Amino acid sequence: MNIILLGAPGAGKGTQAEVINKELGIPTISTGNMLRAAVKAGTEYGLKAKAAMDAGALVSDDIVIGILKDRIAEPDAQNGFILDGFPRTVPQAEALDAMGVQIDKVIEIDVPDETIKQRLSGRRVCLKCGATYHVDFKPSKVEGVCDACGDPIVIRKDDEPATVLSRLATYHETTAPLKGYYENQGKLISVKGLDTVEETSKAVLAVLK
Ligand code: AP5
Ligand code: MG
């Protein structure tokens, strides 16, 4: 099964991707995590992407489509995958269709902007394995340490309040139109993401049954 998780920054795409990954055993492909790893490693496209990411803007379609195309060609993605954070523009969705990738379901996690601001102010992430935590709603077992790999967990650079506002504006302007794109293809399913992580997971997994 090939799944797209759609939703505003902080809606819970990464959190629910971890749950689907455990349930279905298919890999999560997060363009955000891949870009952050590239920035950390100082690769050529990491250097190009950094300024846009720090400003809460989108990285260019060319770069992101290139990364995605290489990633879905890898062996572990041949039996299905979860796309977290891609596509984010209509040209990216069109590029995916042009690659001949068959998408089965597009799950939109719907959360109001006010809740998102609260969530992102308490988020902590592991830059090594990509696991996501929240100081109140999903704390790690040991403060400051990733449960999954033991690396330190940190505040993401783009979770500063002013940058969150830019990311939300970019989402409403450029990414939200994808709801109509996938509605027209009969693939969009919307799930309320306001409840707890566990309740939202139940709703997401019910869609995949
Ligand atoms: P990316 O990493 O994809 O960030 P994003 O879309 O802004 O989404 P987030 O990762 O911030 O949120 P999420 O929905 O995963 O929420 P999470 O599960 O962490 O992209 C970063 C940047 O990379 C972009 O700004 C752009 O520059 C670039 N980029 C990436 N892809 C691109 C593309 N395709 N094209 C162009 N540029 C691209 O949850 C948030 C917090 O809330 C966590 O702390 C979590 O524990 C908590 N939480 C989750 N669910 C619940 C719940 N139900 N109740 C309470 N708390 C919850
Ligand atoms: Mg994420």
Side-chain angles (χ1 to χ4, degrees):
M1 177 132 47
N2 295 332
I3 301 161
I4 291 175
L5 290 178
L6 198 61
K13 302 180 296 294
T15 302
Q16 296 306 327
E18 286 178 34
V19 174
I20 301 171
N21 164 263
K22 283 197 187 109
E23 184 76 16
L24 300 184
I26 51 176
T28 300
I29 299 181
S30 160
T31 42
N33 284 352
M34 289 160 79
L35 287 166
R36 277 184 290 281
V39 169
K40 201 174 166 201
T43 66
E44 192 190 331
Y45 75 72
L47 292 174
K48 284 188 191 154
K50 189 176 183 306
M53 293 178 78
D54 286 351
L58 293 183
V59 174
S60 77
D61 286 339
D62 287 357
I63 293 181
V64 184
I65 291 166
I67 297 173
L68 194 276
K69 198 171 181 185
D70 290 347
R71 179 65 186 89
I72 60 175
E74 285 177 29
D76 69 328
Q78 301 318 303
N79 291 323
F81 48 75
I82 309 154
L83 294 184
D84 162 9
F86 185 99
R88 243 177 164 97
T89 64
V90 172
Q92 290 178 19
E94 289 168 347
L96 199 57
D97 287 341
M99 286 173 216
V101 175
Q102 180 63 39
I103 298 298
D104 298 292
K105 284 180 181 165
V106 178
I107 306 175
E108 183 220 358
I109 307 176
D110 183 23
V111 179
D113 286 8
E114 280 313 307
T115 308
I116 278 169
K117 290 177 200 164
Q118 182 194 14
R119 282 188 188 173
L120 292 183
S121 65
R123 173 163 64 181
R124 300 292 182 271
V125 295
C126 174
L127 292 179
K128 187 176 174 201
C129 76
T132 303
Y133 303 88
H134 190 284
V135 288
D136 299 318
F137 308 133
K138 197 191 167 204
S140 57
K141 290 188 186 113
V142 178
E143 198 184 321
V145 179
C146 178
D147 295 349
C149 75
D151 252 43
I153 54 175
V154 297
I155 298 174
R156 240 169 72 175
K157 214 175 164 205
D158 59 351
D159 279 348
E160 191 190 309
T163 315
V164 169
L165 290 183
S166 307
R167 287 162 60 204
L168 281 169
T170 304
Y171 172 76
H172 290 299
E173 200 177 301
T174 315
T175 307
L178 287 176
K179 288 190 251 177
Y181 184 91
Y182 286 114
E183 207 163 30
N184 288 339
Q185 294 190 359
K187 292 176 181 162
L188 186 78
I189 301 151
S190 189
V191 164
K192 290 263 169 267
L194 249 185
D195 234 323
T196 60
V197 172
E198 292 73 20
E199 287 301 317
T200 307
S201 300
K202 274 187 206 159
V204 167
L205 293 177
V207 163
L208 297 175
K209 286 274 150 63

